[in-house]
Amino acid sequence: MKIYNTLTRSVEEFIPNEEGKVKMYTCGPTVYHYAHIGNLRSYICEDVLEKTLRFAGYDVKRVMNITDVGHLTSDGDTGEDKMLKGAQREHKTVMEIAKFYTDAFFEDCSKLNIKTPDVVQPATGCIAEFIHMIEVLLDKGYAYLAGENVYFDTSKLKNYYVFGNQNEEELYVGVREDVEEDTNKRNKNDFVLWFTKSKFEDQALKWDSPWGMGYPGWHIECSCISIKHLGEYMDIHCGGVDNIFPHHTNEIAQSESFLGHKWCNYWFHVHHLNDRSGKMSKSKGNILTVSVLEEQGYDPLLYRFYCLQSHYRKPLEFSFEALDATKPAFDKLRNKCSQVKKEAEAGQDKAADKDIYDTFRAKFSDALANDINTASAVTVLYDVLKSDMDAVTKLALIESFDEVLGLNLTKASSGTGTDEVDQELAKYVSEQIELRRIAKKEKDFAKADAIREELKSKGIIIEDTREGVKWHLA
Ligand code: AMP
Ligand code: ZN
């Protein structure tokens, strides 16, 4: 399997430390707001990566943190505390906000068929480990106390900018242009490991530490949590491209200084989802969520399909027009797969043709092994549907591909039959469902309800479900 490694800036053969096993870490969400569909693009692509590894036979252990403390509005330790800001906005406690948005995140993930990692670790559950790591860094001379905060000293490293091609000046400005500089820092890219004194006098969550009551910096949590659950050597670490600097750069600085050896071999970064105004971001407000998609009548899996059609290393532009343009192909694909299922079930006694099955499975696997080329993998699926192999073999392939694609391929609207009457009916109902979707999108709910009632009067019941709109005869 070949994968692009941000650390070496090249597509490399993926070789885990231990044969057959993969230790994988994902930077989790900061739970002060709903995840937007940009964040979820990263999680969809990382989910496909994990499932590709499993499809290839690896035993994967995946860990994800939940950032419920320490993340400031600037990734460079300045600005407001995101969790506190969320709590104030909603007149709730920080922990209430954290719980609410953590649950909302996993609900969205489930709608997008994103598997929950094997270990999910909130940062507030690991304070003792953070303190221990900071003590070791101080002992080893990689950290210093200044203004009652503890900082990591980036000048102690031979190569702090491990991801290369980074212009220090540019990166620093990129982090934040409008904040006052922290005069405690010895070097401008030094970062906070532990805050005791900051401008947040009203910081909600504080813990006792050898340096006084305070709270951890953001970067330390991912170093600690990954080492706690995956050990000293990790195979692959994921996140969005905005995490490369400073977050992942700082994670490497801390972890390798703490451990005294190389820590993680492969770094997988997903490029951003943009809207017309640029990178989609929670701090811009007005964010596009899975719920917004659903309110407008879109099946969340249509968005997953939209993401899979582009490569994770390219920026992806989102618009409703683009989603609308993808919808007919997605509906057709799922209807075809459902038809195959019906045909296969009719000829249940037959076994799948092993040679054909292995050939197409290998083609699908090769597409993904080529730096997770999901668009090519989808093309292999179309090739299966077009081919004249028997339905039982087709269905076996579809179901196996869907383990990675996660599109609920054989769960299209019920009633999609193979005979003529069924097809006529299915066509009529899907047209009505589409008209209802458009009405909902235009907020013409009276029209949407009228369409539902009209169908009901004809004995056709439609239901909004997690997998999209389904229908059946009364
Ligand atoms: P956050 O909740 O802000 O910590 O971000 C969660 C994940 O989403 C991180 O891996 C980010 O790199 C990623 N991310 C943030 N914005 C976008 C975007 N517009 N497109 C894709 N991924 C993003
Ligand atoms: Zn992280």
Side-chain angles (χ1 to χ4, degrees):
M1 171 159 166
K2 287 198 159 57
I3 200 150
Y4 182 84
N5 185 357
T6 315
L7 205 52
T8 55
R9 290 172 295 289
S10 61
V11 176
E12 284 181 13
E13 190 66 35
F14 178 74
I15 306 168
N17 286 307
E18 208 180 318
E19 210 187 316
K21 289 196 170 167
V22 177
K23 293 180 177 181
M24 177 174 178
Y25 184 83
T26 299
C27 290
T30 308
V31 283
Y32 73 111
H33 215 317
Y34 291 107
H36 55 63
I37 60 169
N39 300 127
L40 291 162
R41 178 192 190 200
S42 284
Y43 295 114
I44 289 171
C45 296
E46 291 160 7
D47 180 64
V48 171
L49 169 67
E50 177 188 346
K51 289 175 177 166
T52 297
L53 291 165
R54 291 186 192 276
F55 194 79
Y58 288 108
D59 172 9
V60 182
K61 179 171 180 189
R62 181 164 174 209
V63 176
M64 180 195 269
N65 67 307
I66 297 289
T67 299
D68 52 3
V69 67
H71 197 176
L72 308 190
T73 46
S74 150
D75 289 352
D77 298 331
T78 49
E80 293 172 90
D81 179 310
K82 290 189 180 188
M83 292 303 298
L84 195 59
K85 205 173 147 184
Q88 282 163 352
R89 184 186 64 229
E90 297 183 20
H91 307 289
K92 291 192 181 138
T93 66
V94 167
M95 288 326 278
E96 281 168 349
I97 290 283
K99 161 119 187 51
F100 179 83
Y101 287 113
T102 302
D103 291 348
F105 172 73
F106 286 112
E107 216 169 282
D108 287 345
C109 286
S110 127
K111 288 176 184 165
L112 290 163
N113 275 345
I114 297 170
K115 180 182 168 296
T116 303
D118 304 293
V119 178
V120 174
Q121 174 72 70
T124 47
C126 290
I127 301 297
E129 284 92 339
F130 302 157
I131 292 175
H132 171 67
M133 186 179 258
I134 298 166
E135 281 179 315
V136 173
L137 291 172
L138 278 163
D139 281 352
K140 288 188 166 188
Y142 288 108
Y144 58 92
L145 257 163
E148 293 165 62
N149 294 330
V150 186
Y151 294 85
F152 187 91
D153 187 347
T154 54
S155 72
K156 289 286 187 309
L157 302 182
K158 274 197 216 97
N159 181 20
Y160 167 65
Y161 298 105
V162 279
F163 291 108
N165 68 2
Q166 289 163 323
N167 174 316
E168 185 172 347
E169 208 54 45
E170 229 173 63
L171 286 171
Y172 187 68
V173 173
V175 170
R176 183 87 176 193
E177 290 164 35
D178 57 341
V179 285
E180 74 278 19
E181 233 170 273
D182 181 344
T183 50
N184 293 320
K185 292 186 183 183
R186 290 186 192 157
N187 312 287
K188 58 185 171 184
N189 279 315
D190 287 358
F191 52 92
V192 177
L193 297 168
W194 188 268
F195 291 95
T196 65
K197 195 149 180 61
S198 74
K199 54 183 178 175
F200 312 119
E201 290 306 327
D202 53 348
Q203 175 64 28
L205 300 176
K206 286 186 194 177
W207 294 266
D208 201 8
S209 81
W211 318 286
M213 289 293 283
Y215 59 101
W218 172 41
H219 315 294
I220 195 84
E221 68 178 82
C222 288
S223 289
C224 264
I225 290 172
S226 56
I227 293 170
K228 174 176 173 164
H229 294 288
L230 295 171
E232 290 191 15
Y233 295 92
M234 201 206 302
D235 296 302
I236 188 156
H237 191 311
C238 317
V241 283
D242 60 322
N243 284 160
I244 296 174
F245 187 87
H247 185 50
H248 289 165
T249 305
N250 291 350
E251 277 188 42
I252 293 174
Q254 296 163 148
S255 301
E256 298 195 350
S257 304
F258 171 76
L259 296 168
H261 59 70
K262 187 164 179 193
W263 170 52
C264 176
N265 291 332
Y266 300 87
W267 289 79
F268 176 91
H269 289 109
V270 179
H271 221 295
H272 283 146
L273 182 79
N274 299 316
D275 56 21
R276 291 201 178 103
S277 65
K279 179 197 160 199
M280 201 170 278
S281 126
K282 287 186 208 176
S283 53
K284 277 190 193 165
N286 197 18
I287 56 173
L288 210 48
T289 59
V290 168
S291 306
V292 172
L293 292 185
E294 284 181 307
E295 275 156 30
Q296 304 215 8
Y298 294 99
D299 178 346
L301 293 182
L302 170 63
Y303 176 63
R304 182 170 171 117
F305 182 64
Y306 181 68
C307 291
L308 296 190
Q309 285 185 314
S310 74
H311 195 256
Y312 76 90
R313 274 200 292 126
K314 294 207 174 103
L316 177 62
E317 169 104 9
F318 179 82
S319 69
F320 282 107
E321 290 76 16
L323 207 55
D324 288 338
T326 310
K327 192 176 180 301
F330 184 53
D331 287 346
K332 207 167 156 194
L333 176 66
R334 292 217 297 193
N335 284 338
K336 276 196 168 166
C337 292
S338 301
Q339 272 184 27
V340 169
K341 190 173 183 188
K342 278 201 164 186
E343 285 167 34
E345 280 167 357
Q348 249 172 6
D349 43 332
K350 277 201 226 144
D353 183 317
K354 193 170 177 318
D355 289 344
I356 300 179
Y357 178 85
D358 287 347
T359 308
F360 278 89
R361 200 179 186 281
K363 284 187 188 178
F364 182 77
S365 195
D366 287 351
L368 293 169
N370 178 17
D371 195 20
I372 318 292
N373 193 332
T374 45
S376 295
V378 170
T379 306
V380 179
L381 171 62
Y382 279 113
D383 290 344
V384 167
L385 290 170
K386 268 189 285 177
S387 91
D388 56 7
M389 71 178 82
D390 66 89
V392 174
T393 312
K394 267 189 193 176
L395 180 64
L397 284 163
I398 292 168
E399 285 177 343
S400 133
F401 294 179
D402 214 15
E403 284 168 26
V404 178
L405 300 177
L407 296 170
N408 293 359
L409 287 168
T410 55
K411 291 188 193 152
S413 20
S414 52
T416 317
T418 45
D419 64 63
E420 234 170 80
V421 181
D422 243 9
Q423 285 194 12
E424 278 282 298
L425 181 66
K427 187 163 172 278
Y428 166 73
V429 180
S430 72
E431 279 164 6
Q432 295 305 306
I433 289 175
E434 178 61 10
L435 289 176
R436 178 169 167 266
R437 188 188 67 78
I438 294 169
K440 278 173 110 180
K441 190 178 161 197
E442 288 166 354
K443 301 214 180 325
D444 189 348
F445 297 110
K447 187 171 171 191
D449 288 347
I451 293 171
R452 181 199 281 269
E453 285 310 308
E454 171 75 14
L455 286 168
K456 198 172 165 191
S457 73
K458 293 182 171 150
I460 300 158
I461 309 297
I462 56 174
E463 282 169 19
D464 296 309
T465 75
R466 282 193 166 183
E467 288 93 29
V469 183
K470 294 199 168 175
W471 66 274
H472 59 87
L473 297 176

